Amino acid sequence: MGLFSASHLTYPNSHRFLSHAYKAYNHTGADIAVSVRDLHVSLGGQSVLRGVNLHLHRGQLVALIGPNGSGKTTLLRAVVGLQKPDTGEVRLLGENNIQKALPRVGYVPQRFVPDRSFILSVREFLALRLRETQSWFWHRHRDTDDRLMADMAELGVESLLDRPIAALSGGQLQRVLIVFALLKRPELLILDEPTAGVDSPGEKTFYDLIGEIHRRRKLTVVLVSHDLSMVYRHASWVYALNGVVCCEGSPEQVMNADALKETYGLNISQHHHIGHPF
Amino acid sequence: MTFLENLPSFMLHAFTVAVVMGPLCALLGVFVTARRMAFFSDTISHSALAGIGLGFLVGLEDPTWPIVLFSLLIAGAILWLKEHTDLLTDTIMALLLSGSVAFGIIVLSLLKNRRGELHRYLFGDILSVNLDDVWLAIVLSSAIGMWLFTKLSPVALLTASEDLAHVSGVRTRWLNYAFVLVLTVVVSLSIRLLGIILVTSLVVIPPAAARNLARNLRQQLILSLIIGLIGGAVGTVASYHWDIPCGPAIVMACLAIFILSLVVGKFWLNQPTRAKSA
Ligand SMILES: Nc1ncnc2c1ncn2[C@@H]1O[C@H](COP(=O)(O)OP(=O)(O)OP(=O)(O)O)[C@@H](O)[C@H]1O
Ligand SMILES: [Mg+2]
């Protein structure tokens, strides 16, 4: 068993089906990054999540797909403790107390529109993540910069340090938010539609970049995406959500039209990516 | 120092409170304005009228404690109504503001011997600051000032985004409550000097003036603090010198600095990165 799980951690892609079988036996194991059991959430009197179950293995790049309003954001918010579940259980990095696991998690929300009346610079914004509890106020800039530069350069935003975050373009802001999420060297990176606001040529390189970060840092990545070709190229496991988990599996398994139709229902024709020859 | 020696003690009291509360209001104001809580501050200050009325009704000579307690009650009511009803925050605050003012005015006009005092509470009066108020202001503002400096990072992160603050480990719920508590206490302690109608201007104008000159949050905080200090000091001296109400004098001093900052910011400092307000 030990050998089995070790191989799973090292080569998640080539052991998809084996790991799936393995998962059925061991839901509480140390290699589970996120485990959600029978999660029910209702918002404004409407039931949004109706018994979601999922178990994400460490080291994977997991894609969460589903039509608009299917509860993807709600699920991720529940995972990081931003949304209180009605019933059900969430375990994050082996912790039942989500708050305890949060220092090891990076999260990029779907919608973050910085207020123009708040003149926080990119440097200050990122410094708040580095030293949330101590006072960043009295620190010299160069000390902060040293700690920020590597991650900034990786995402290609090192020139933005002095800009107010409210003055960034959508794509620049997304990148800065990813730097924010990566600063504390998380074990788990949760991205809710990371390419919102990124131009479409940039989108491909953006996903390549996330794929590369995933490989190089050996972290677990969960991302929401509407771009099914990206899912096919980078994800090692896919969950299709529509209030419940409609289907899960390798991209090949999930991408077959029947399973997807079940998820997207009548919306399927709106998603032109489905026609791609995979 | 002959200037200070020739001053009557009431003037010294007023001056001390102004140079203590001015910077504190201005510092808090940076976050209050960014979090769009200016109307909240206005509601709190107007609720003081009801506090004053109630205090006189039960026979208290000094209105400081009734003001503080009733303002806290109203702040709590706003939070409770916000959480437990579907009413808009603006509606809730307008409701409580007009209710408090109506109640306070009725009580003050029923108490025949108090009618003449309305003016000094509405617009501030340096004559009304006694030695107890000075000590209260010094003790509370140093406690609050120290709290704010140790919590600067979490408060700044909370202001930028509650969600990101939460995932960065900030206890957002408690920090929100603490912020409201601190703001309420600071506003109600400044009413003696500024008056009910104008106290919010000391929370709004210095941060706005600092915003014209600052390039990042640290600069805005420091500048706002200095402007609040100068505005408070100049205003109380002017109030004494020309025998005008203290609140309007402080507001005019702050406004003069604001106009200066606008001119300097527009024509002297070249700020290509400044976000244009949409
Ligand atoms: N604050 C709220 N109050 C009431 N209903 C809400 C609230 N937030 C979300 N919902 C509803 O919950 C459902 C799921 O929303 P959610 O944001 O999780 O969907 P999503 O899968 O992320 O969609 P998208 O692809 O558009 O981001 C939607 O039907 C939405 O209308
Ligand atoms: Mg969403």
Side-chain angles (χ1 to χ4, degrees):
Chain A
M1 221 32 174
L3 219 163
F4 198 109
S5 64
S7 70
H8 163 74
L9 281 174
T10 332
Y11 311 103
N13 281 329
S14 51
H15 287 265
R16 263 175 223 143
F17 301 106
L18 289 177
S19 73
H20 194 208
Y22 167 67
K23 244 169 48 178
Y25 294 103
N26 191 351
H27 276 178
T28 53
D31 70 325
I32 302 283
V34 180
S35 137
V36 172
R37 239 182 260 251
D38 197 30
L39 186 72
H40 287 258
V41 175
S42 42
L43 290 169
Q46 175 202 358
S47 149
V48 176
L49 299 180
R50 301 175 290 273
V52 171
N53 285 289
L54 51 86
H55 303 276
L56 309 184
H57 285 237
R58 282 182 195 259
Q60 283 190 322
L61 194 159
V62 178
L64 200 58
I65 62 172
N68 294 132
S70 57
K72 304 181 295 293
T73 298
T74 308
L75 173 61
L76 294 185
R77 286 174 63 86
V79 165
V80 295
L82 283 167
Q83 175 66 52
K84 221 174 130 41
D86 300 340
T87 57
E89 186 195 75
V90 174
R91 276 175 76 87
L92 188 56
L93 297 171
E95 297 275 2
N96 274 324
N97 182 350
I98 292 174
Q99 197 85 27
K100 265 189 178 168
L102 282 178
R104 295 181 280 143
V105 177
Y107 171 74
V108 176
Q110 178 171 11
R111 251 192 313 273
F112 170 46
V113 185
D115 200 319
R116 286 185 187 279
S117 61
F118 197 45
I119 190 182
L120 202 63
S121 70
V122 169
R123 175 187 281 112
E124 287 172 327
F125 175 64
L126 294 175
L128 290 179
R129 176 64 172 156
L130 275 185
R131 286 187 280 270
E132 322 87 321
T133 49
Q134 302 166 36
S135 180
W136 49 275
F137 195 74
W138 306 114
H139 275 263
R140 276 172 41 240
H141 278 175
R142 203 182 305 153
D143 301 338
T144 317
D145 289 357
D146 287 345
R147 299 186 60 186
L148 302 179
M149 262 317 166
D151 292 315
M152 300 279 292
E154 191 168 6
L155 271 293
V157 287
E158 63 273 40
S159 61
L160 302 177
L161 267 182
D162 287 308
R163 299 275 294 276
I165 52 168
L168 300 179
S169 76
Q172 289 171 332
L173 182 63
Q174 280 299 333
R175 286 163 193 266
V176 168
L177 284 173
I178 292 178
V179 175
F180 185 91
L182 286 175
L183 275 178
K184 284 288 200 69
R185 307 275 161 254
E187 295 163 34
L188 171 67
L189 183 61
I190 299 177
L191 306 164
D192 198 346
E193 291 197 38
T195 53
V198 177
D199 51 37
S200 48
E203 213 170 309
K204 181 183 167 298
T205 42
F206 204 76
Y207 280 122
D208 289 342
L209 186 64
I210 291 168
E212 198 179 313
I213 291 171
H214 165 244
R215 274 189 303 278
R216 200 167 31 204
R217 302 203 179 193
K218 300 188 172 53
L219 36 70
T220 317
V221 177
V222 183
L223 58 82
V224 170
S225 178
H226 288 290
D227 182 347
L228 299 183
S229 65
M230 167 276 149
V231 168
Y232 191 77
R233 244 176 334 122
H234 291 291
S236 47
W237 200 258
V238 180
Y239 281 95
L241 194 73
N242 202 352
V244 293
V245 173
C246 300
C247 58
E248 64 169 299
S250 65
E252 294 91 335
Q253 290 173 316
V254 175
M255 289 301 132
N256 81 65
D258 274 355
L260 262 192
K261 231 175 241 153
E262 192 187 322
T263 316
Y264 279 84
L266 294 174
N267 285 339
I268 192 157
S269 58
Q270 290 169 8
H271 291 264
H272 59 273
H273 287 297
I274 281 174
H276 279 193
F278 287 127
Chain B
M1 282 294 106
T2 51
F3 168 74
L4 278 179
E5 281 161 17
N6 292 336
L7 287 176
S9 62
F10 74 82
M11 176 56 198
L12 269 180
H13 295 164
F15 190 80
T16 313
V17 174
V19 297
V20 167
M21 299 313 285
L24 193 59
C25 284
L27 198 62
L28 266 182
V30 172
F31 299 109
V32 172
T33 49
R35 303 185 70 191
R36 296 171 194 256
M37 287 171 74
F39 190 37
F40 176 87
S41 155
D42 230 14
T43 308
I44 293 303
S45 69
H46 281 78
S47 72
L49 209 52
I52 293 167
L54 274 177
F56 287 156
L57 212 54
V58 298
L60 286 175
E61 210 34 54
D62 185 279
T64 299
W65 286 110
I67 288 177
V68 173
L69 292 179
F70 198 79
S71 299
L72 285 174
L73 188 76
I74 291 293
I78 293 173
L79 292 180
W80 191 88
L81 286 170
K82 211 166 121 179
E83 270 184 38
H84 293 90
T85 67
D86 285 334
L87 294 170
L88 286 175
T89 317
D90 275 5
T91 313
I92 295 169
M93 294 196 289
L95 209 91
L96 291 171
L97 187 153
S98 46
S100 310
V101 171
F103 178 81
I105 299 277
I106 288 174
V107 171
L108 285 176
S109 37
L110 287 179
L111 298 167
K112 303 260 182 288
N113 55 331
R114 298 291 185 185
R115 266 186 205 172
E117 300 198 12
L118 185 58
H119 188 267
R120 61 152 54 160
Y121 292 117
L122 288 182
F123 300 110
D125 184 359
I126 43 176
L127 284 170
S128 69
V129 181
N130 58 39
L131 194 58
D132 286 346
D133 292 327
V134 174
W135 283 116
L136 194 64
I138 289 177
V139 169
L140 274 176
S141 59
S142 25
I144 288 171
M146 259 147 61
W147 176 83
L148 194 61
F149 261 99
T150 56
K151 293 285 179 199
L152 212 47
S153 303
V155 170
L157 202 49
L158 188 74
T159 307
S161 158
E162 295 214 4
D163 287 358
L164 289 178
H166 167 87
V167 295
S168 302
V170 176
R171 305 269 177 178
T172 53
R173 197 181 162 81
W174 294 113
L175 195 58
N176 265 327
Y177 288 153
F179 189 81
V180 165
L181 176 75
V182 160
L183 178 62
T184 304
V185 171
V186 168
V187 164
S188 35
L189 285 182
S190 308
I191 283 175
R192 280 298 180 85
L193 222 48
L194 270 294
I196 284 163
I197 295 187
L198 292 176
V199 69
T200 297
S201 59
L202 195 57
V203 176
V204 171
I205 302 175
R211 179 76 167 78
N212 288 330
L213 304 172
R215 286 159 193 273
N216 55 45
L217 181 62
R218 184 210 299 248
Q219 287 177 5
Q220 193 192 7
L221 286 168
I222 293 171
L223 282 171
S224 183
L225 191 133
I226 294 171
I227 293 167
L229 183 73
I230 297 174
V234 171
T236 30
V237 171
S239 161
Y240 171 69
H241 200 78
W242 285 304
D243 193 21
I244 48 178
C246 188
I250 293 181
V251 170
M252 290 312 284
C254 290
L255 263 180
I257 302 175
F258 175 81
I259 291 167
L260 195 69
S261 74
L262 200 64
V263 173
V264 171
K266 272 263 182 298
F267 299 110
W268 283 5
L269 305 175
N270 189 18
Q271 292 174 311
T273 59
R274 166 60 45 82
K276 291 266 186 296
S277 53

